[in-house]
Amino acid sequence: MKKGIANLIATFFYVGLSPYVPGTLGTLAAIPLFYLLSFTPVYVYLAFTILIILISIWASSISESIYGKTDPRQIVTDEVCGYLVTMSFVQPTLTNMLVGFLFFRIFDIVKPPPAKQAERLHGGLGVVLDDVAAGIYANIVIHLMLKYAF
């Protein structure tokens, strides 16, 4: 039962089982969650994001043992966490959500330091924290763009 629940969470309701671009699909699946959460007070958004990060670390650790490898592509809850971090304190406009998606995916793929080093952490920590770091980078870029470009 524990493994089943962990896998449900880690694959973000089985989105990660897609044979094609599961990480991208996991990020896309996070957009409606962000949109719903964007109407809550900021403290609820942040508390939920932290809770999702902690649950995702737990679920990812268990799912790694299910798939028998480190950071298997089926685990996409880390993308959900990263996108929620990306969109922290960002207005839920269509443009912002798409820009957030693009910058998060870029930073998640490129993994500039310390995201790359976070990926080497053991278990679910490594799975999730590199995406959280990518989300922080993307969040900074979005806020700079919103302040200076738009």
Side-chain angles (χ1 to χ4, degrees):
M1 178 99 163
K2 180 172 92 170
K3 283 186 175 185
I5 292 170
N7 198 45
L8 178 71
I9 294 166
T11 61
F12 199 64
F13 304 97
Y14 305 118
V15 169
L17 299 182
S18 169
Y20 306 104
V21 294
T24 299
L25 293 176
T27 307
L28 285 172
I31 293 173
L33 178 60
F34 159 72
Y35 188 73
L36 290 173
L37 287 170
S38 70
F39 295 103
T40 65
V42 69
Y43 68 89
V44 172
Y45 183 94
L46 294 175
F48 186 85
T49 300
I50 291 167
L51 181 63
I52 288 292
I53 290 168
L54 295 173
I55 291 170
S56 295
I57 290 168
W58 168 81
S60 297
S61 292
I62 292 171
S63 287
E64 279 189 325
S65 68
I66 292 171
Y67 296 105
K69 56 182 165 177
T70 301
D71 200 0
R73 60 185 280 135
Q74 293 90 343
I75 297 176
V76 297
T77 192
D78 52 333
E79 273 79 13
V80 174
C81 295
Y83 187 75
L84 291 177
V85 170
T86 297
M87 298 306 291
S88 296
F89 309 106
V90 177
Q91 293 296 314
T93 67
L94 182 59
T95 300
N96 289 348
M97 290 185 285
L98 292 175
V99 168
F101 171 83
L102 290 173
F103 278 109
F104 171 69
R105 292 305 298 151
I106 288 168
F107 284 114
D108 187 31
I109 292 165
V110 173
K111 294 193 191 318
K116 188 67 172 171
Q117 288 76 9
E119 188 177 44
R120 296 183 195 132
L121 295 171
H122 180 70
L125 279 174
V127 174
V128 175
L129 292 186
D130 70 307
D131 289 74
V132 169
I136 291 169
Y137 289 133
N139 181 269
I140 291 168
V141 170
I142 290 172
H143 281 284
L144 288 172
M145 286 179 63
L146 290 172
K147 184 172 182 176
Y148 296 109
F150 295 113

